[in-house]
Amino acid sequence: MAVEAARKGNVNPWPDGAILGKIVWKDDQLQDWKAATAPGEFVHAEFMFRDSKK
């Protein structure tokens, strides 16, 4: 539902039933490319559930 709403630009507010997720990890430096960072150790995941009745 959230993907459909984002594609249509219907995100203010997000529609009821939309679920958004975010993955958080520590940055890691690449050995072969010192200027670049890459995802390192997983930290946690966060989720938002859109429910206007709550």
Side-chain angles (χ1 to χ4, degrees):
M1 184 172 287
V3 173
E4 291 174 19
R7 287 181 178 158
K8 293 177 182 177
N10 183 20
V11 296
N12 191 13
W14 287 95
D16 274 350
I19 302 170
L20 302 175
K22 177 174 113 175
I23 299 174
V24 181
W25 58 79
K26 293 182 180 181
D27 286 343
D28 197 10
Q29 189 176 34
L30 299 175
Q31 289 182 348
D32 297 333
W33 189 7
K34 299 296 182 190
T37 57
E41 180 183 345
F42 172 80
V43 177
H44 66 271
E46 301 173 2
F47 295 93
M48 180 195 79
F49 301 90
R50 174 73 172 143
D51 185 356
S52 64
K53 295 176 185 170
K54 287 188 175 185

